[in-house]
């Protein structure tokens, strides 16, 4: 899959579309994908203003962007501060170069989200069982990035461990379950369940659930002060947005990757 099918004009078309929707005040959080409001005006979220539909898979056929990145764009958009959300679709489409190979952006983002020293959910793990589960799935994605084939048994074992960790923490975490981390499970799990192309991907939904439960449990302590809780959510969401843009911008262009002059 080639970003924007290798054509700058494709990138420009969609970038101009979302830019125009922002200028016309048609970009909305928590509204729906692409629908009429009470006044009969079409409005939509980041995905809706890009596609004029809710079909994340169309990012692949229309834009040459993996649908999992569309899911991430969607999930991040809904929880960004409103001022950043307004420019987010433009930032997202601007980040990738026409002709880039974005296939490893999701595995790289997944490793960062799980294991980053500052922002990784590993920082919120309450017990060794959860830490082990998160590390195992992060390692599967590291292997994918390195081009190492992962066997089904290894992936299944990681998924089972992650599911067990999630169940272990579930009772304590449910009351504090928070969308700022839970979107990983809600959005990415749906992607992996629908289009998993290899054994490693099958572990992602369980690992994301374990990570979300762990982080939500940690939030229970942070939320002792509402202001601190809100600041923490805001900082985490902005960090996720910035990291995704960084990884997309760094993705190699196919010709460069193959050493073509």
């Amino acid at each position: 899959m080639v970003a924007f099918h290798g054509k700058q004009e494709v990138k420009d078309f969609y970038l101009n579309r979302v830019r125009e929707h922002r200028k016309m005040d048609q970009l909305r959080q928590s509204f729906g994908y692409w629908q009429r409001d009470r006044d009969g005006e079409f409005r939509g979220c980041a995905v809706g203003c890009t596609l004029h539909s809710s079909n994340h898979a169309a990012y692949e056929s229309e834009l040459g962007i993996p649908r999992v990145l569309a899911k991430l764009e969607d999930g991040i958009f809904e929880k960004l501060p409103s001022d950043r959300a307004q420019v987010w679709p433009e930032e997202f489409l601007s980040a990738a170069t026409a002709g880039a190979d974005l296939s490893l952006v999701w595995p790289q983002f997944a490793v960062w989200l799980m294991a980053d020293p500052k922002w990784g959910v590993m920082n919120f793990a309450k017990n060794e069982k959860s830490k082990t589960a998160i590390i195992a799935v992060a390692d599967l994605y590291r292997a994918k990035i390195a081009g190492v084939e992962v066997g089904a048994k290894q992936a299944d074992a990681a998924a089972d461990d992650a599911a067990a960790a999630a169940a272990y923490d579930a009772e304590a975490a449910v009351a504090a379950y928070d969308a700022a981390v839970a979107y990983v499970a809600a959005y990415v799990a749906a992607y992996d369940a629908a289009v998993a192309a290899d054994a490693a991907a099958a572990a992602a939904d369980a690992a994301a659930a374990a990570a979300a439960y762990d982080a939500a449990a940690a939030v229970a302590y942070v939320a002792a002060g509402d202001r601190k809780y809100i600041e923490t959510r805001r900082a985490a969401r902005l960090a996720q947005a910035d990291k995704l843009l960084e990884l997309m911008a760094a993705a190699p262009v196919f010709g460069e990757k193959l050493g073509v002059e």
Side-chain angles (χ1 to χ4, degrees):
M1 191 180 305
V2 183
F4 305 108
H5 305 297
K7 300 176 181 179
Q8 183 64 36
E9 58 267 33
V10 174
K11 176 176 180 175
D12 291 343
F13 173 83
Y14 287 99
L15 188 54
N16 289 333
R17 172 185 278 182
V18 297
R19 184 176 290 129
E20 188 64 20
H21 285 314
R22 173 182 59 77
K23 290 179 178 179
M24 295 178 67
D25 194 29
Q26 294 173 320
L27 180 62
R28 288 286 190 274
Q29 290 173 292
S30 303
F31 181 78
Y33 284 97
W34 188 245
Q35 60 190 38
R36 294 185 187 274
D37 62 12
R38 294 178 180 177
D39 298 322
E41 182 79 19
F42 270 106
R43 303 186 190 278
C45 64
V47 170
C49 283
T50 302
L51 297 175
H52 291 177
S53 80
S54 60
N55 182 15
H56 295 83
Y59 268 64
E60 298 184 353
S61 58
E62 294 188 29
L63 286 82
I65 294 176
R67 75 185 72 182
V68 67
L69 300 188
K71 294 285 188 179
L72 288 174
E73 179 198 14
D74 194 354
I76 289 172
F77 169 78
E78 291 298 343
K79 296 300 177 181
L80 280 173
S82 58
D83 56 344
R84 181 69 182 275
Q86 284 297 305
V87 297
W88 173 241
E90 295 169 56
E91 291 182 321
F92 179 84
L93 293 177
S94 296
T97 301
D101 176 5
L102 302 178
S103 60
L104 292 182
V105 171
W106 157 241
Q108 292 166 340
F109 186 86
V111 171
W112 174 84
L113 190 63
M114 294 179 194
D116 183 75
K118 182 175 182 179
W119 298 109
V121 292
M122 176 61 69
N123 294 304
F124 304 123
K126 297 194 304 173
N127 54 72
E128 291 304 316
K129 181 181 289 188
S130 293
K131 290 178 181 179
T132 298
I134 293 169
I135 290 172
V137 179
D139 284 346
L140 290 181
Y141 279 106
R142 290 190 180 100
K144 185 177 180 67
I145 293 167
V148 177
E149 184 175 349
V150 178
K153 288 185 178 180
Q154 183 181 357
D156 288 344
D160 290 344
D161 288 345
Y168 185 85
D169 281 342
E171 184 175 353
V174 162
Y177 203 85
D178 180 75
V181 289
Y183 92 91
V184 181
Y187 285 86
V188 176
Y191 165 79
D192 282 323
V195 299
D198 54 41
D205 56 337
Y213 277 126
D214 270 334
V219 166
Y221 298 100
V222 176
D226 289 343
R227 185 172 181 178
K228 180 64 175 177
Y229 170 57
I230 293 171
E231 290 173 353
T232 300
R233 274 183 31 167
R234 178 188 176 96
R237 186 63 69 182
L238 289 170
Q240 291 164 10
D242 290 343
K243 187 64 179 182
L244 182 56
L245 296 180
E246 173 193 326
L247 293 172
M248 291 176 69
V253 175
F254 270 95
E256 295 173 349
K257 182 178 180 182
L258 297 173
V260 176
E261 296 295 335

